[in-house]
Every structure is written in C-alpha cells, then in structure tokens.
Amino acid sequence: MSSNWQPIDSSYQQNNGTPARVVTMSESSEKADDAGVDSSPHEKMNFFQAVKKVQKLRRLERQQTRHTKSARKDGEHAPLIQDSRDLFRGTEKEDPSKPMEQPTTLEALTEIVLGKGVISWCLACAPLALVSVYFHWGATWVFWLNFMTLIPFASILGDFTEELALHTNETIGGLINASFGNAVEVVVAINALLAGEIRVVQGSLLGSIFSNLLLVLGCCFFFGGLKHKEQKFNATSATANMGLLALSSIALALPTPFAQYYNLHDSEVLLVSRLAAVFLLFMYAQLLVFQLHTHADIFENDGDDAPFTRITMPVALVGLLTTTLLVAFFSDFLVESIDGFTEASGISRTFVGIILLPIVGNAVEHVTAVTVAMKDKMDLAMGIALGSSTQISLLVVPLTVLVGWIVGVDMTLNFPHFEIIMYVLSILTVSIVLANPTCNWLEGSLLITTYFMIAVGFWFEKIKNY
Amino acid sequence: MSDLRPIITNSRQPARRLVSVGPEDDAERAPGERMSFFHVNDTEPETIGDVSYEPSSVAQVLRETVLGKGPISWCLACAPFALLSFYFRMGATWVFWLNFITMIPLASILGDFTEELALHTNDTIGGLINASFGNAVEVVVAINALLAGEIRVVQGSLLGSIFSNLLLVLGSCFFFGGLRHQEQSFNATAASANMGLLALSSIALVLPTPFAEYYELHDEQVLMVSRLAAVFLLCMYAQLLVFQLHTHTNMFQNEEGEDEQSAKISMTVAVFGLLVTTLLVALFSNFLVDSIDGFTEASGISRTFVGIVLIPIVGNAVEHITAVTVAMKNKMDLAMGIALGSSTQISLLVVPLTVIVGWVAGVDMTLNFPHFEIALYILSIFTVSIVLSNPTCNWLEGSLLITTYIMLAVGFWYEKIENY
C-alpha cells in the first residue's frame, strides 16, 4: 500500500472490510500520486456523517489549541497533534490515554460563545439591536442589526447541539443533529409565518436551498480548486442527494401549476400543498430511519467510547434552549422590520427573503464547508452543502406548511413560476456539474455565477398582488 | 484524461491534418493529384509525410486555401453573381440564396487564416485567437443583423447555431462515426464541463424571459437584466479561457505528441488575409441580412425559421463536415471538441457580445426569447446531457440527436410570432 494512503479512521476496516481512502490530489503529493492513484470511490458521506465529522475535527482542533496553550504554559506537555495537518492524516482518534484537561463549564461556555474570532464580534450587535428596536431607530437599522446578531447564534446553536448529541447514543444523537441542524432557518421561517409574511417564508426557504446548492457548493469547488488542481468526490452520495432534491422540486412545483392552469379555489391549492407536505415529511422520516436505524451499520463507528464532552447534559440542554429562545427573539424583530425595510430601501420583499435571510442561517456553515474543502475533504464539504439543502426541502418546507395549517395561516407551496423555473434549472445545472466525479475551480465559479445571476433576477422581481 | 480536448479549439489544426488531401496507401495515384475533399483518409493522421503540404510560395498556399477545397470552393463562383443579383435587383430570393452560398466557403477560408495566424504565436495566444475567431462568421452575421435592427433574426441565428452544433453536428458525428465503428468512446470530463457551461448559459437566456411575461416590467428592466446577465456570461468565458490556457493547460495537452505544424505563410500575410476575408464576410452578410425581409415575404418562410435553421448553416457547414470526417476516423473527442466547444463559445461569447454591442450601438437587444424557444433550448440541453452521460456513443444516439433537430426545425417552420 502506498504510503500516500492513510485510513481516515481505522474503524472503517471493522465495518466495511476495506479501509476508506482519501486520495489527495494536492500538488505536494503528485509524485506519490502517480504511483498510487486509485479510482475507487470515496466513502459515502451523508449529511449526518458529515456533520459529525466536522464536529469531530473541530473538537480535535480545540484539543490541539488547548494543548498547545498548556504546553506553552508549563512546557511539559507535548502537543497531542504536531500540527493541524495531522488532523487529516490518520491520527484522528481521540486518544484517551494522553492527559487531557477537562475545561470547566465556564471555560467551555466562554469558548462556545466567544471563541470564534470574527463571528463572535457580531454578538456585539446584540445590545445595539435591542436598543434600535426600543428606541425606534428606523426599520433599516433594526433589520441589519438583528441580521448581524443572528449570525453567530447559528454557530453557538450548532455547538450546543453537538454537545447534547454527544451525551446520547448514536441514533438519538443523529436525530438531534438532524432536527437542530437548520434550527435557525426553522425559527426564522416560523416567525415570518406567524407574522403572516408568506412571501418571505417561501423566499427564505427557497433561498436557503439556492444558497446551499449553488453558493456554498460553488465556493467549495472554487476555493478548493484554487488550492488543489482537481478534487474527487463520491458520485453516489451526490446523486442520491440530487435525487431527493428532485423529489422535493416536484413537490414544490405541484401546487404551482394548479393555481395557474386551472381555476381552483385557494382552498384546493392549500389542500394540495398540505398533502404534499405530509408526503415530504414522511419521506424525511424514512430518510432518518434509513440512515440512523436500518442502514446505520454502514456508517462509521467512531470508536468514541468516551466522547470528550465539554459540558454536562443539563448545561447543554439549557444552553440549547436559551440560544433557541434568543434566536426566536431576535428573528422576531428581524421579521417585523421587513416591511419598513423594503419600503425604505426599495429592495423587493422577494430579494430580502431569497437572498438576504438565508445568509443568517448559512453564513457559518458556508465558512466551515469552504475551509474543509480547502483541506481537500471535498466529500465532507459536499455532505454539508447538499445535505443541508436536502434537509431544508424535506423537513423545513413541509414543516412550515403544517405549522401554518395548525395556526390557521394560509401557507401554500404555490411559488411564482419564475422561482420554480429557476429552482428546476439550478437542480439541473448542479446535477450536470456533479455528473462527473471530479471538480475544479471553473465548475465552482460556474455555480457561483449561476447564483449571482439568479440573485440579479430576484433583485428585479416585483410581484404584484401576492 | 489524455484525450481531453480543449473546449475552445486548437482543434482545427489536427482536424485539418486529418482531413488533409493526400494519396491513399493502396491507391495508385499520379503524384500531386488531389483527392476529393470528402475522401476519408484512414491512414493515421500523424504520419503526414506524404501530404502535399510543402510550404512553397505564398501564392501557392493562398491558392490552396481559397481554391483547394473541392465543392466548397466551387461555391465561391457564386460571389460575382451575388454582387450582380444585389446591384441589378434580381429579387430578394436570388439575393438571399446567392449570398448564402457565397458565404459558406468564406467561413472555411477564415478558419484557415485564423489557424495560420495562431501558429505564429505561442500556445496561449494561439488558443486565444482561435477562441475569438472560431465563430467569426456568426459574430459578423449577428452584428450585421443587429445593426439592421433585426433583433428576432439575431436571437434566432444565435440560438440556431447552438442547436445546430449541439444536435445536428454532434448527432451527425455520432451517426456517421457509428456507421463505421460499432461503438466509440469519448472523454466524459470535457463533455460534462461543456454541458455545465451550457446549462449556465441556459439560465442566463431564461433569466430575462419570464420577467417580460410574468411581471409588468418596463423594457428597460428586461434590458438591464439582459445586459447584466451578458456581463456575467462574458466573465464566465474569460474564466474558461484562463482555465484552459493557463491554470489547467496540461489537462488539455495532446498526448499523441503531434509535432508542431509550421506556419505556411508569414504572419503579415495571415493577418492581411484574415482581415480581407472578414471584410468580405461582412459585405456579403450585409446583403444577406438586407434581403431577409423580402425573402420572408416572397417565400412565405417565417423569419424565425430563417434565423434559426437557415442562417446557422452559413457559419456551420464547413465545421460540420470537418467534425463528421474526424468522427469517422474514430477521433470522437476531437469531433466533440469541435461541436460542443463551438456551442459553448456561441452561448458564452457571441450571445453576450451581441447584447453588449447592442448596448453600445443603442439597439435594444435583449435575451428575451419566446418561451417556446427557451423550453426547447432547455430540453435540448437536457437530452444531450443524458446522451453524453454515458461515455460511449453509437449510431442510434446520433440518429436520436439528428431527429431531435429535425423535429425542432419542423416546429420552427410553423412558428409564427406576432408583433415581435
């Protein structure tokens, strides 16, 4: 076996019998590549695996920085990992034999909330956001300040979700990750729904899918391609995701032609939407059963016998609930300010919903995916991007329809045709790009350009009487 | 990976060598006797020592370029008649067809001069020159029509060029190649890269269209969206050039070790020839475009059909023959490089270029196409990408694509657009 190949995790051998291989095409390993490039597929990476992998990598990075700090302090400990590249070489097991300090709860909480560099600075907007609402600074200020405040919350929410999931077994943990993975999008959407802003809800959901599918994926390919000439990924999981997205596109398209081509009462359009939503949720439940129960043994067994959790389960639970409440709180202000914001700035409601709002939920995920892609972990990056869009289309969209049903808001899946056409064309473009299991910067740029052109289209979109 | 062909081509070079005139191995021919242009030379193209390509005098080379192409060169005989028909007002139909036939060989000559010029420069600039002038005839015709205010013809000719390359040329390659060779394989990477770019262009073409229909927008906003989309497409094209000519050049290098073909004429002569030919093309296409009005009235053929089906033949005929000949020689990657690369070029370069030229010249050229054409465009891309998803091809797939084209043409024959 060429020394170029490292098993990601020795536990793969237990499960599959063959070690998973990550073939890097980075320029530094070109010589060895000529000897041992294998065309065997990468490991399948579904969304939950991807999220777990990212969490694990982050944990290891944190351990490393903690160790480096402590090593610097007392000079006695050698760092657990020599340099961050080792994270991706084969020393990825958390080694319980090495001494590892358990941070105090306060330390851990500080790390979660404030330890994220630039993103944590956005939290400084929080008090300003409150002030702007209560002192009536004007819709534009309220909008942007609440907007900036919500961005770090997505990341903090993710951390608490991870900590909570670590305290449970694989299945429940996967379930928790699955449910709270897009918690910010859900909260924003439900807030907008309860405020009766149907157009914003539809826009934010569709926009989240566009953003994940085109912008995030495109940036992964682009920035990854700038670093590595060509990167491979697993075509099977890519097409599986695209298949699910195609299903969701049919569901989104379903009620739309009704309202256009036939003279149906809104009540029938509503009924079709609600039925479609039920089917989609059912599909999502089956997806969960598939990944967490019937075919769970295909997944990696992390070997995390003693997962390194930083905070106890009650703390994680409280943190999760608190953050969710805060997200709900600030997104409430955000949604209320949309009316005044669209009037004051002249930006269309559609643009706000489709382009601006998804940034809130996606910004951090975006940065993570791009970073991971630049580290030549394209399967992981794609798992995050594609998996997130699948989740939104199969879970969040039908969820809003059903919540609307319960609450009595007439939320339908009746989208403007322009948006449906763009949606279908985007899925078509992405599936063409993904048909070939290698990627380069040009394909990334192609996807990003598609997103920008769609954004230009939505900038000018003015829907009357909607 | 070794068979990746550039999306934009230096492909005329090897293509020309393959289609070169030369004595067949087992035939006895008098030395210097020319073979028919359409003869398929099965000998391996790289060993071209027996081809009468000695670069002797400039005059000889020029004569070969202009007159040495068999039936295609005969079309040049129409040139004086075309001029006559215009100045003696022989009627729009005569003017149209005579200019039409005159322009076909001019496209080929233009291609030769472009290739000669590109040989005088390095790979990168050469690639750039090939990329820019590869579809010079389409550009000239489109801009002529644009300046004459024939927006529908412009849109039609551009869309029609893409259809023609994507369906007719590609289909013919698969079909005739498949008749000769049971199954041919090609490189999937280049194919999917091309299809990805075409899908992007389809989004750009679709973008302004629903606007004008679904929302009450002023034409200015449709124009603005079209122009912005055009800028994006041109940026994408520039990135494509950077990708092929700079960052990923070694992906597209010819692995067969084709030796550098030396230029047969000096750079000055090449530039001069290029300019002269371009001017001639501009002149004759001017007559062509002027005669469209009368031609559509006299013949009853719709303007759309003229734009979408007839005019692209002018720019594509010679390329078509080249690609099919090359495909029959089992060089499917090369043939596809010609066909797909040409359509990508038109959609990413020529279409936005006409919009920008219209912007500069004050003509309201938008990307607002009739929905029928957009729907067919998207479906064609979809069909071709399905066919190309499997990296082998056969005659049936070729026939499939050709049939698609013919069905589209039938549709466009009956299309009557009011008030366009």
Side-chain angles (χ1 to χ4, degrees):
Chain A
M1 188 158 80
S2 154
S3 62
N4 195 38
W5 292 351
Q6 310 275 349
I8 293 177
D9 192 315
S10 59
S11 62
Y12 267 96
Q13 283 167 320
Q14 302 165 13
N15 287 322
N16 300 344
T18 53
R21 285 166 184 153
V22 177
V23 178
T24 56
M25 299 275 286
S26 57
E27 277 135 10
S28 58
S29 55
E30 254 169 17
K31 290 178 218 150
D33 266 350
D34 290 337
V37 169
D38 185 19
S39 57
S40 63
H42 287 226
E43 78 276 16
K44 290 187 189 194
M45 186 77 67
N46 63 53
F47 180 58
F48 310 113
Q49 286 174 305
V51 168
K52 275 174 58 179
K53 271 217 108 44
V54 169
Q55 290 167 350
K56 190 173 174 197
L57 292 173
R58 282 211 211 108
R59 282 203 298 278
L60 290 165
E61 275 183 23
R62 281 196 299 265
Q63 285 167 17
Q64 189 225 359
T65 39
R66 215 176 288 128
H67 268 267
T68 323
K69 281 189 199 148
S70 62
R72 275 188 238 121
K73 259 192 270 174
D74 54 27
E76 272 177 345
H77 294 146
L80 175 66
I81 301 157
Q82 290 299 326
D83 84 68
S84 63
R85 279 178 296 149
D86 285 339
L87 286 174
F88 304 98
R89 285 244 180 95
T91 53
E92 281 182 345
K93 272 185 99 86
E94 294 176 353
D95 193 349
S97 61
K98 290 273 176 70
M100 229 179 276
E101 317 112 46
Q102 177 85 14
T104 67
T105 306
L106 197 58
E107 254 179 36
L109 286 176
T110 317
E111 207 173 84
I112 291 177
V113 174
L114 297 177
K116 295 180 201 297
V118 177
I119 295 189
S120 296
W121 298 346
C122 295
L123 281 176
C125 293
L128 289 173
L130 291 169
V131 168
S132 70
V133 171
Y134 289 114
F135 283 90
H136 302 286
W137 281 9
T140 316
W141 276 108
V142 174
F143 182 86
W144 285 120
L145 285 171
N146 282 288
F147 186 89
M148 297 297 296
T149 310
L150 281 174
I151 290 181
F153 276 121
S155 173
I156 298 169
L157 201 60
D159 276 356
F160 279 123
T161 309
E162 171 195 339
E163 290 294 329
L164 186 63
L166 283 175
H167 282 280
T168 62
N169 64 21
E170 292 265 336
T171 310
I172 311 277
L175 210 65
I176 291 176
N177 267 319
S179 321
F180 283 85
N182 287 300
V184 176
E185 277 96 336
V186 172
V187 171
V188 171
I190 291 183
N191 250 326
L193 186 73
L194 298 175
E197 300 261 15
I198 311 287
R199 199 73 277 282
V200 170
V201 176
Q202 289 183 335
S204 76
L205 296 175
L206 210 61
S208 276
I209 302 177
F210 278 136
S211 169
N212 274 307
L213 210 53
L214 297 172
L215 193 60
V216 179
L217 196 64
C219 288
C220 289
F221 284 2
F222 185 74
F223 290 107
L226 288 183
K227 255 186 158 264
H228 312 276
K229 201 161 233 211
E230 196 179 70
Q231 294 170 284
K232 291 188 191 293
F233 57 86
N234 183 285
T236 313
S237 43
T239 45
N241 264 310
M242 295 312 294
L244 289 169
L245 277 171
L247 168 72
S248 75
S249 80
I250 292 180
L252 291 184
L254 204 66
T256 301
F258 273 144
Q260 151 91 156
Y261 295 123
Y262 313 113
N263 287 332
L264 291 179
H265 301 290
D266 281 332
S267 54
E268 280 165 325
V269 178
L270 261 179
L271 194 63
V272 170
S273 300
R274 287 164 178 172
L275 279 172
V278 169
F279 277 118
L280 286 179
L281 279 176
F282 194 50
M283 199 67 228
Y284 185 73
Q286 291 173 67
L287 177 66
L288 288 184
V289 167
F290 178 81
Q291 286 182 329
L292 302 176
H293 184 63
T294 68
H295 286 65
D297 47 351
I298 298 183
F299 303 161
E300 53 173 319
N301 179 15
D302 261 330
D304 284 338
D305 312 292
F308 183 66
T309 61
R310 292 175 288 168
I311 50 183
T312 65
M313 182 153 162
V315 176
L317 204 54
V318 168
L320 191 63
L321 290 175
T322 317
T323 321
T324 311
L325 282 171
L326 284 173
V327 169
F329 188 59
F330 284 106
S331 65
D332 198 33
F333 293 144
L334 187 72
V335 166
E336 273 171 17
S337 72
I338 288 180
D339 257 342
F341 177 68
T342 48
E343 276 173 35
S345 62
I347 301 177
S348 71
R349 199 176 291 262
T350 307
F351 190 83
V352 169
I354 294 192
I355 305 292
L356 294 183
L357 284 187
I359 296 177
V360 163
N362 270 342
V364 177
E365 213 172 48
H366 189 155
V367 171
T368 308
V370 170
T371 317
V372 156
M374 288 173 84
K375 291 187 182 168
D376 209 16
K377 291 252 172 189
M378 194 47 84
D379 278 306
L380 189 49
M382 286 181 59
I384 297 175
L386 287 182
S388 197
S389 28
T390 309
Q391 257 202 327
I392 293 173
S393 61
L394 282 192
L395 173 66
V396 184
V397 170
L399 202 66
T400 52
V401 173
L402 291 183
V403 168
W405 196 354
I406 294 172
V407 174
V409 176
D410 284 353
M411 163 80 184
T412 71
L413 296 180
N414 181 16
F415 287 80
H417 312 105
F418 180 60
E419 295 175 19
I420 294 291
I421 293 172
M422 285 296 131
Y423 185 57
V424 171
L425 284 180
S426 309
I427 292 183
L428 181 67
T429 307
V430 174
S431 65
I432 288 178
V433 166
L434 292 184
N436 180 35
T438 59
C439 60
N440 47 54
W441 69 264
L442 188 69
E443 293 185 347
S445 177
L446 194 157
L447 293 175
I448 298 174
T449 308
T450 309
Y451 185 78
F452 281 140
M453 291 205 299
I454 292 182
V456 165
F458 288 130
W459 177 270
F460 288 100
E461 189 188 20
K462 300 222 188 301
I463 311 204
K464 318 256 179 219
N465 304 328
Y466 213 96
Chain B
M1 189 98 106
S2 63
D3 267 344
L4 268 179
R5 292 294 163 171
I7 295 172
I8 50 164
T9 69
N10 271 329
S11 65
R12 277 182 188 269
Q13 265 187 11
R16 296 224 174 258
R17 290 212 285 279
L18 291 174
V19 188
S20 65
V21 178
E24 198 178 359
D25 267 351
D26 53 348
E28 283 178 346
R29 303 228 168 227
E33 181 180 342
R34 302 244 155 142
M35 303 274 294
S36 145
F37 181 74
F38 297 105
H39 174 78
V40 175
N41 191 350
D42 272 339
T43 57
E44 270 314 302
E46 280 71 30
T47 60
I48 278 184
D50 50 0
V51 171
S52 53
Y53 254 359
E54 297 92 32
S56 37
S57 74
V58 171
Q60 190 167 346
V61 169
L62 286 178
R63 219 191 72 205
E64 195 177 286
T65 306
V66 174
L67 299 176
K69 295 180 199 297
I72 296 208
S73 297
W74 301 343
C75 298
L76 279 176
C78 294
F81 291 108
L83 292 169
L84 279 176
S85 70
F86 183 76
Y87 287 114
F88 286 94
R89 298 180 211 289
M90 276 159 62
T93 316
W94 277 109
V95 176
F96 182 86
W97 285 118
L98 286 170
N99 282 287
F100 185 88
I101 297 193
T102 309
M103 283 178 66
I104 293 181
L106 286 178
S108 174
I109 299 170
L110 198 63
D112 279 353
F113 279 123
T114 307
E115 176 191 336
E116 290 294 326
L117 184 62
L119 283 174
H120 282 282
T121 63
N122 62 19
D123 267 345
T124 310
I125 311 276
L128 214 62
I129 291 177
N130 267 317
S132 320
F133 282 88
N135 286 299
V137 175
E138 277 95 339
V139 173
V140 170
V141 171
I143 291 183
N144 250 323
L146 186 73
L147 298 176
E150 300 261 14
I151 309 287
R152 197 73 279 278
V153 171
V154 176
Q155 289 182 335
S157 75
L158 296 176
L159 211 62
S161 278
I162 301 176
F163 279 138
S164 168
N165 275 306
L166 211 54
L167 296 173
L168 192 60
V169 179
L170 196 63
S172 304
C173 291
F174 285 2
F175 184 74
F176 291 107
L179 287 182
R180 275 191 139 238
H181 312 274
Q182 180 116 341
E183 196 180 70
Q184 296 171 286
S185 59
F186 55 86
N187 182 284
T189 311
S192 76
N194 264 311
M195 295 313 293
L197 290 170
L198 278 171
L200 169 70
S201 76
S202 81
I203 290 182
L205 292 184
V206 170
L207 208 63
T209 301
F211 275 144
E213 152 87 347
Y214 296 125
Y215 316 116
E216 283 133 26
L217 290 180
H218 302 289
D219 282 330
E220 300 136 26
Q221 275 167 317
V222 178
L223 262 178
M224 177 61 70
V225 171
S226 299
R227 286 164 180 173
L228 280 170
V231 169
F232 276 121
L233 286 179
L234 283 174
C235 284
M236 201 66 229
Y237 186 72
Q239 289 171 68
L240 175 64
L241 291 182
V242 169
F243 180 78
Q244 268 194 260
L245 302 175
H246 186 64
T247 68
H248 284 67
T249 5
N250 51 357
M251 267 171 83
F252 296 100
Q253 261 159 20
N254 254 325
E255 302 278 341
E256 291 121 17
E258 289 181 15
D259 42 351
E260 283 292 315
Q261 191 181 5
S262 54
K264 291 178 284 172
I265 51 182
S266 71
M267 183 157 164
T268 336
V269 178
V271 171
F272 188 66
L274 193 63
L275 289 176
V276 167
T277 321
T278 311
L279 283 172
L280 286 174
V281 168
L283 178 73
F284 285 108
S285 66
N286 207 344
F287 296 147
L288 187 74
V289 167
D290 277 345
S291 72
I292 288 182
D293 258 341
F295 176 68
T296 48
E297 278 173 32
S299 61
I301 301 178
S302 71
R303 199 176 292 261
T304 307
F305 189 83
V306 169
I308 292 192
V309 180
L310 292 183
I311 293 193
I313 297 177
V314 165
N316 270 342
V318 178
E319 219 170 42
H320 189 155
I321 295 169
T322 310
V324 169
T325 318
V326 157
M328 289 172 82
K329 290 186 182 175
N330 209 10
K331 291 254 169 192
M332 193 48 82
D333 277 308
L334 188 49
M336 285 181 58
I338 298 174
L340 285 182
S342 198
S343 32
T344 308
Q345 256 201 323
I346 294 173
S347 62
L348 281 192
L349 175 65
V350 184
V351 169
L353 203 64
T354 51
V355 173
I356 306 268
V357 168
W359 196 355
V360 167
V363 177
D364 285 351
M365 164 79 183
T366 70
L367 296 179
N368 182 16
F369 286 81
H371 309 107
F372 181 57
E373 296 174 19
I374 294 291
L376 288 178
Y377 184 60
I378 294 173
L379 287 177
S380 309
I381 291 182
F382 190 53
T383 307
V384 175
S385 67
I386 288 180
V387 165
L388 293 184
S389 62
N390 177 33
T392 59
C393 59
N394 48 54
W395 68 265
L396 188 68
E397 293 185 348
S399 178
L400 192 159
L401 294 175
I402 297 175
T403 309
T404 310
Y405 184 79
I406 295 176
M407 292 202 299
L408 288 182
V410 167
F412 289 129
W413 177 271
Y414 289 102
E415 189 189 16
K416 305 236 181 294
I417 310 209
E418 319 284 353
N419 305 327
Y420 216 97

